Amino acid sequence: MFGKIKVRVLDSTKYAKKLGEEDPRRIFHAVKVGIAITLMSMFYYFKPLYHSFEEAGMWAILTVVVVFEFTVGGTIAKGLNRGAATLVAAGLGVGAEYLGNACGNKGEPIILGALVFLLASVATFTRFVPRVKRRYDYGVTIFILTFTLVAVSGARASQIWKMAYERLTTILIGGATCMVISLCIYPVWAGQDLHNLIATNIGKLATFLEGFGGQFCNYSADGEDKSYLQSHKTVLNSKANEEILANFAWWELGHGRFKFNHPWKVYLNIGSLVRECACQIETLSGCINSKSQVLCEFQQKIQPSCVEMSIESSKALRELAEAIKETRFPSAAVEIHLQNSKAAAEDLKKIMENSSLPTIAGLQEIVPILVITSVLIDIIKFVEKISTSVEELSQKAGFKQRNKQAQVKPVHDHVVIDVIEIKTKYSPPQI
């Protein structure tokens, strides 16, 4: 038994070490929460504070536990929601109690019951409104809880004003403490995390397409590095995380290049396009093991165009990812790579129009190839949409530009594009 306990303790220690090494900010967050709870516990340790608030000091500790989030935006969102909801609910609760007292002992339960039913029902219904659900859901929940507690407990409490004041004050102190510590001690910005997440997801798509194009002609062989096949998996399930980060980023103060009214919705639009592109890439991944190792004449003809479409699309995505990371406008090389991939797609269509398909017996071997060509053409369209959205983000967010001429040679001679890289400067946000 002791041997098993020792093994589990060692495994837990290794796992905790791994979590800390993956993101050291988790360790800082744990320390910050510990500091906040310790400060709020002073309501009980020091007699002057305890005599001022007595048992209501527990609300400050509870506020820290439920409000302190990993990111600054999450903490501010919950802190402001809880403070505003408590203030409004406490005021209405006191008003409801006085209204009930005015109706006498028999009328008070009826009035209070009716008000609790009405406000709780209306507040709960508002939680279905998308905007309220996204930004104020926690505040509505606290409103229902606080109003009910103040109104109901006030029916038996003699000092309703004192009770409401103590709870409101301690909750505001707890929320303010969380926000100050979150802002001043190693802050974690949801906006920065969302910015990096979108850029990383685009880079993952580029990694897949680069690996797929490089091994297109022999990707079914054994013993080859296929790690790129998993690079897009996490992109498919990133929607919830992106929406949470965008919501928290909306509450954050200006920091770095992320000022007030930063276009967080554009990040969500880009993320949606990236996930759609990842779905197409998942189809490519499913076709890999379906292709025969022996290339027929038809496959040999279309192979160069497919490789070029994949490689050029990956280069365009790579440049877009780098542009977002560096908060700058995408270079004109993106347009070059897009035009090269479109030219390869046109060449592919001409080859398929002038080629005769194999007999029915050979169709089984070329079906995966036909699927791959169709998916690659669709991916080019998504890459173009992502490029347009990144340009929109660069304009609205006021990303820096480059003003330096450079030559980028297109793969196809008939693709003529003037490439201008611009010298670094800041452009005002267009919001």
Side-chain angles (χ1 to χ4, degrees):
M1 181 182 66
F2 290 106
K4 291 181 179 180
I5 293 176
K6 181 180 178 180
V7 171
R8 290 185 178 181
V9 170
L10 290 175
D11 290 342
S12 299
T13 303
K14 291 179 181 178
Y15 182 71
K17 181 181 178 182
K18 180 182 177 182
L19 286 178
E21 290 175 346
E22 287 178 351
D23 192 349
R25 300 179 302 174
R26 296 168 179 167
I27 300 175
F28 286 96
H29 175 69
V31 173
K32 290 190 292 185
V33 174
I35 293 173
I37 292 178
T38 302
L39 290 176
M40 293 303 98
S41 65
M42 297 301 155
F43 281 100
Y44 285 85
Y45 293 154
F46 291 98
K47 289 184 179 180
L49 285 175
Y50 180 77
H51 290 315
S52 298
F53 297 99
E54 296 182 349
E55 297 298 328
M58 183 59 69
W59 287 94
I61 298 176
L62 292 176
T63 299
V64 172
V65 173
V66 299
V67 165
F68 216 132
E69 289 287 333
F70 181 67
T71 62
V72 173
T75 303
I76 293 177
K78 279 197 168 184
L80 293 180
N81 268 274
R82 188 176 181 87
T86 302
L87 178 62
V88 174
L92 290 176
V94 172
E97 177 56 28
Y98 274 94
L99 180 61
N101 289 334
C103 297
N105 293 331
K106 292 184 178 180
E108 181 179 11
I110 298 175
I111 295 298
L112 291 179
L115 289 175
V116 169
F117 170 78
L118 178 63
L119 290 179
S121 300
V122 173
T124 301
F125 181 78
T126 61
R127 297 179 65 188
F128 293 104
V129 179
R131 182 181 177 83
V132 175
K133 181 72 175 176
R134 184 172 62 255
R135 293 178 179 170
Y136 310 109
D137 186 68
Y138 179 72
V140 175
T141 303
I142 295 300
F143 170 83
I144 297 172
L145 174 64
T146 303
F147 174 78
T148 305
L149 288 176
V150 173
V152 174
S153 61
R156 299 295 181 181
S158 58
Q159 297 180 330
I160 181 66
W161 274 107
K162 180 182 178 182
M163 179 184 66
Y165 166 76
E166 289 177 348
R167 290 186 181 180
L168 176 61
T169 303
T170 52
I171 287 174
L172 292 179
I173 291 173
T177 302
C178 292
M179 288 188 282
V180 170
I181 292 177
S182 182
L183 280 166
C184 298
I185 302 178
Y186 203 85
V188 178
W189 302 101
Q192 184 68 58
D193 282 357
L194 176 62
H195 181 87
N196 294 337
L197 177 62
I198 296 297
T200 300
N201 285 347
I202 295 176
K204 289 178 179 180
L205 302 189
T207 298
F208 180 94
L209 292 173
E210 183 180 4
F212 181 81
Q215 299 184 11
F216 180 81
C217 52
N218 59 353
Y219 55 74
S220 60
D222 296 331
E224 292 182 350
D225 180 17
K226 297 183 180 180
S227 58
Y228 69 91
L229 294 176
Q230 305 299 321
S231 60
H232 69 288
K233 297 291 186 180
T234 56
V235 180
L236 297 170
N237 301 316
S238 63
K239 180 180 179 179
N241 193 22
E242 290 173 7
E243 291 179 346
I244 291 173
L245 290 175
N247 180 38
F248 288 163
W250 183 83
W251 291 91
E252 289 180 344
L253 306 175
H255 55 282
R257 288 192 55 80
F258 307 104
K259 307 300 181 182
F260 286 108
N261 296 324
H262 195 76
W264 302 115
K265 289 184 178 180
V266 183
Y267 284 93
L268 295 179
N269 294 337
I270 296 174
S272 177
L273 291 172
V274 170
R275 282 191 302 276
E276 291 181 33
C277 188
C279 291
Q280 298 292 329
I281 285 178
E282 180 69 10
T283 305
L284 283 183
S285 179
C287 293
I288 285 179
N289 295 325
S290 302
K291 177 180 172 293
S292 173
Q293 296 186 15
V294 180
L295 297 180
C296 64
E297 182 181 355
F298 174 73
Q299 294 169 329
Q300 291 175 350
K301 288 182 179 180
I302 66 172
Q303 176 182 304
S305 297
C306 290
V307 170
E308 186 176 336
M309 290 161 61
S310 183
I311 295 295
E312 292 296 323
S313 296
S314 72
K315 290 180 180 179
L317 288 172
R318 186 76 66 190
E319 167 58 24
L320 292 172
E322 292 297 325
I324 294 178
K325 285 182 181 179
E326 299 172 7
T327 61
R328 61 172 172 82
F329 275 78
S331 69
V334 174
E335 187 65 22
I336 285 286
H337 296 309
L338 280 173
Q339 293 299 327
N340 286 336
S341 60
K342 290 180 181 179
E346 291 297 325
D347 292 342
L348 176 64
K349 291 178 182 179
K350 293 178 182 179
I351 293 173
M352 296 183 69
E353 290 174 357
N354 298 327
S355 299
S356 58
L357 293 177
T359 60
I360 297 179
L363 283 177
Q364 185 175 359
E365 295 182 356
I366 71 162
V367 165
I369 296 296
L370 295 177
V371 173
I372 288 174
T373 57
S374 176
V375 171
L376 285 174
I377 293 174
D378 290 337
I379 287 176
I380 294 173
K381 297 177 182 178
F382 279 111
V383 174
E384 190 171 20
K385 292 179 181 179
I386 294 172
S387 175
T388 302
S389 295
V390 174
E391 288 282 352
E392 178 187 358
L393 172 64
S394 302
Q395 292 176 0
K396 290 186 175 181
F399 284 174
K400 55 190 175 184
Q401 299 184 352
R402 291 186 177 180
N403 214 1
K404 183 180 179 183
Q405 285 193 342
Q407 295 294 329
V408 178
K409 185 179 179 180
V411 176
H412 293 262
D413 294 335
H414 59 278
V415 178
V416 179
I417 301 176
D418 293 330
V419 179
I420 298 179
E421 296 235 344
I422 311 184
K423 189 178 185 181
T424 303
K425 70 178 180 180
Y426 290 95
S427 60
Q430 302 176 6
I431 299 175

